[in-house]
């Protein structure tokens, strides 16, 4: 019977991590009451959402690609697991502390009382905020559990159901958590074909790396511009869910392109994904960014930005939004969409170049075979 990459216990913990992270985002959003044009959020809430989103992605990676779909024969190397678990645990710990100390949480009831007096409605749901904070610390503890667990299991040796010793191996055949296997006469995989093509056609690699770099830069600019588009007001920023979605998608695109730039191309910590997977991810990122850009650009906060600022300045002396930053945010989001479509189109060059190489190889093999047959007949 084949050994499972992820034990049932670890699978359960990773699933709980993903679920708790999702609940953090839900309750954080529910903690800030949404009005017609948005909801009064805070910098701590935005940071908490991004940190919990990162934790959810990590948990889902172990649950779906590794645990359910079994797209890899081994789990990532333990050193990488520990590093990611530690970073996420620290990020969640900071998120919980910052959220607890934020004005929206500390003075939740007083702000609600004041706002109800003048506007007839509360600003926050204090109970939902508390639940989000508790879940943040719980999820932080869960990532500490998997972090400590890896050290304990490493100390006690290999336990059936986890390939931790294989993941710790530093030899070339198991580098980066993958088992390299070769079959005589079998065609190389699309991932190895990409590496071979980089050697034969260095221009393709330069264009691909340049595209990933531009994707990263545009995603970062879009993320920063959208966040800076909201001025500080009371406890934070008067943001809306469409903007939050745009922030998360820009953050996702930034992480994916950064992984290609650093882990794959520069440090060689991971193999090139197969062409099919790379195309799927490029299309997925492009679609997610396209939806984010459209939603954000057509939102009332962006389309009525100047009018909203003018109306707000009459009563409060300053505007709510930075319209220029908002416009730059969705413009760079659309540019990132085009760049992801460009790398998607570029992947077909790998296929065409690989096909040409295979044809040349087959032709050479056939020629050699014919020559051998003629020699035997003579």
């Amino acid at each position: 019977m084949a050994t499972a990459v992820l034990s049932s216990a670890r699978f359960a913990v990773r699933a709980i991590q993903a679920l708790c992270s999702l609940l953090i985002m839900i309750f954080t959003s529910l903690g800030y009451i949404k009005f017609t044009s948005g909801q009064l959020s805070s910098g701590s809430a935005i940071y908490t959402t991004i940190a919990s989103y990162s934790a959810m992605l990590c948990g889902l990676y172990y649950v779906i690609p590794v645990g359910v779909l079994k797209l890899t024969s081994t789990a990532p190397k333990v050193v990488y697991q520990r590093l990611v678990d530690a970073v996420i645990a620290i990020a969640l710990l900071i998120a919980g502390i910052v959220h607890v100390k934020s004005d929206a949480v500390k003075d939740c009831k007083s702000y609600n009382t004041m706002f109800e007096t003048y506007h007839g409605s509360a600003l926050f749901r204090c109970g939902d905020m508390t639940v989000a904070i508790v879940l943040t610390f719980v999820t932080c503890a869960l990532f500490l559990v998997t972090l400590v667990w890896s050290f304990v299991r490493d100390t006690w040796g290999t336990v059936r159901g986890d390939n931790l010793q294989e993941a710790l191996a530093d030899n070339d055949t198991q580098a980066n958590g993958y088992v390299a296997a070769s079959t005589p006469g079998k065609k190389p995989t699309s991932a190895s074909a990409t590496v071979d093509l980089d050697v034969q056609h260095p221009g393709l690699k330069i264009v691909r790396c340049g595209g990933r770099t531009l994707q990263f830069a545009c995603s970062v600019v879009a993320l920063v511009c959208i966040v800076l588009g909201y001025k500080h007001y009371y406890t934070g920023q008067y943001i809306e869910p469409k903007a939050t979605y745009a922030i998360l998608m820009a953050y996702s695109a930034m992480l994916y392109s950064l992984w290609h730039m650093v882990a794959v191309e520069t440090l060689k910590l991971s193999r090139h994904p197969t062409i099919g997977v790379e195309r799927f991810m490029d299309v997925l990122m492009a679609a997610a960014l396209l939806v984010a850009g459209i939603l954000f650009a057509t939102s009332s906060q962006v389309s009525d930005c100047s009018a909203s600022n003018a109306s707000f300045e009459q009563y409060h002396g300053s505007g709510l939004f930075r319209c220029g930053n908002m416009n730059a945010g969705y413009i760079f989001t659309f540019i990132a969409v085009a760049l992801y479509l460009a790398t998607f189109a570029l992947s077909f060059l790998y296929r065409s170049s690989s096909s040409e190489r295979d044809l040349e190889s087959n032709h050479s093999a056939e020629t050699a075979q014919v020559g051998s047959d003629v020699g035997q007949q003579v």
Side-chain angles (χ1 to χ4, degrees):
M1 184 173 63
T3 304
V5 174
L6 201 64
S7 67
S8 299
R10 285 204 171 200
F11 180 87
V13 174
R14 293 298 185 182
I16 296 173
Q17 288 174 348
L19 177 61
C20 288
S21 302
L22 176 61
L23 291 176
I24 293 171
M25 291 190 289
I26 292 174
F27 280 101
T28 299
S29 179
L30 290 177
Y32 299 83
I33 297 175
K34 185 181 184 304
F35 299 97
T36 304
S37 57
Q39 59 189 144
L40 183 61
S41 185
S42 65
S44 60
I46 295 173
Y47 173 76
T48 299
T49 300
I50 293 176
S52 57
Y53 178 73
S54 303
M56 184 187 71
L57 291 180
C58 178
L60 287 178
Y61 167 75
Y62 286 101
V63 171
I64 298 178
V66 176
V68 177
L69 300 180
K70 295 180 173 55
L71 297 180
T72 178
S73 59
T74 59
K77 290 181 66 174
V78 171
V79 64
Y80 302 152
Q81 295 183 43
R82 291 172 181 171
L83 177 62
V84 173
D85 284 344
V87 169
I88 292 179
I90 293 172
L92 289 172
L93 179 62
I94 294 174
I97 294 174
V98 170
H99 206 179
V100 166
K101 294 184 175 296
S102 65
D103 293 336
V105 175
K106 289 192 303 181
D107 303 324
C108 181
K109 292 183 179 180
S110 59
Y111 273 118
N112 279 345
T113 301
M114 179 188 68
F115 209 76
E116 285 175 349
T117 302
Y118 293 99
H119 301 279
S121 175
L123 276 175
F124 312 117
R125 298 183 182 94
C126 304
D128 290 335
M129 285 182 172
T130 302
V131 172
I133 292 170
V134 171
L135 285 172
T136 301
F137 288 118
V138 169
T139 309
C140 173
L142 288 172
F143 275 94
L144 289 177
V145 166
T146 52
L147 175 62
V148 174
W149 196 347
S150 70
F151 284 99
V152 173
R153 292 172 71 87
D154 183 30
T155 302
W156 286 90
T158 304
V159 177
R160 184 177 301 173
D162 268 320
N163 293 335
L164 294 181
Q165 295 301 323
E166 293 181 7
L168 280 168
D170 291 326
N171 57 65
D172 294 337
T173 60
Q174 293 179 349
N176 306 323
Y178 291 92
V179 176
S182 59
T183 303
K186 185 179 180 180
K187 291 184 179 180
T189 63
S190 56
S192 61
T194 302
V195 177
D196 294 340
L197 285 172
D198 287 345
V199 177
Q200 297 179 6
H201 305 283
L204 285 178
K205 180 178 180 180
I206 294 174
V207 173
R208 186 180 68 248
C209 293
R212 296 300 181 191
T213 303
L214 290 175
Q215 288 169 357
F216 173 76
C218 288
S219 300
V220 170
V221 173
L223 174 64
V224 172
C225 286
I226 294 174
V227 172
L228 292 180
Y230 295 86
K231 295 182 179 180
H232 188 272
Y233 170 65
Y234 274 113
T235 63
Q237 292 77 27
Y238 196 67
I239 202 169
E240 68 171 341
K242 292 179 181 179
T244 302
Y245 174 76
I247 289 172
L248 292 180
M249 292 307 101
Y251 176 71
S252 301
M254 180 194 74
L255 287 182
Y256 180 63
S257 56
L258 181 64
W259 174 75
H260 269 283
M261 291 166 51
V262 177
V264 176
E265 301 290 354
T266 304
L267 300 181
K268 311 295 183 184
L269 298 178
S270 177
R271 297 191 306 177
H272 283 274
T274 62
I275 292 178
V277 171
E278 189 169 357
R279 288 174 182 170
F280 172 77
M281 289 302 301
D282 283 341
V283 171
L284 181 63
M285 286 290 101
L289 288 170
L290 179 63
V291 173
I294 293 174
L295 289 177
F296 185 61
T298 57
S299 65
S300 59
Q301 291 184 341
V302 175
S303 58
D304 301 330
C305 181
S306 299
S308 298
N309 277 344
S311 175
F312 198 79
E313 286 174 356
Q314 291 181 354
Y315 300 97
H316 300 275
S318 63
L320 280 173
F321 313 117
R322 298 182 180 92
C323 303
N325 288 338
M326 285 183 164
N327 293 333
Y330 71 75
I331 288 173
F332 276 97
T333 300
F334 288 132
I335 294 175
V337 172
L339 290 171
Y340 272 100
L341 291 177
T343 51
F344 170 74
L346 182 64
S347 69
F348 287 93
L349 290 179
Y350 306 157
R351 173 62 62 86
S352 61
S353 298
S354 179
S355 299
E356 292 175 1
R357 185 190 61 181
D358 291 341
L359 287 174
E360 292 176 358
S361 177
N362 292 336
H363 178 71
S364 299
E366 291 174 357
T367 303
Q369 182 65 32
V370 170
S372 176
D373 293 341
V374 171
Q376 291 176 0
Q377 291 176 1
V378 173

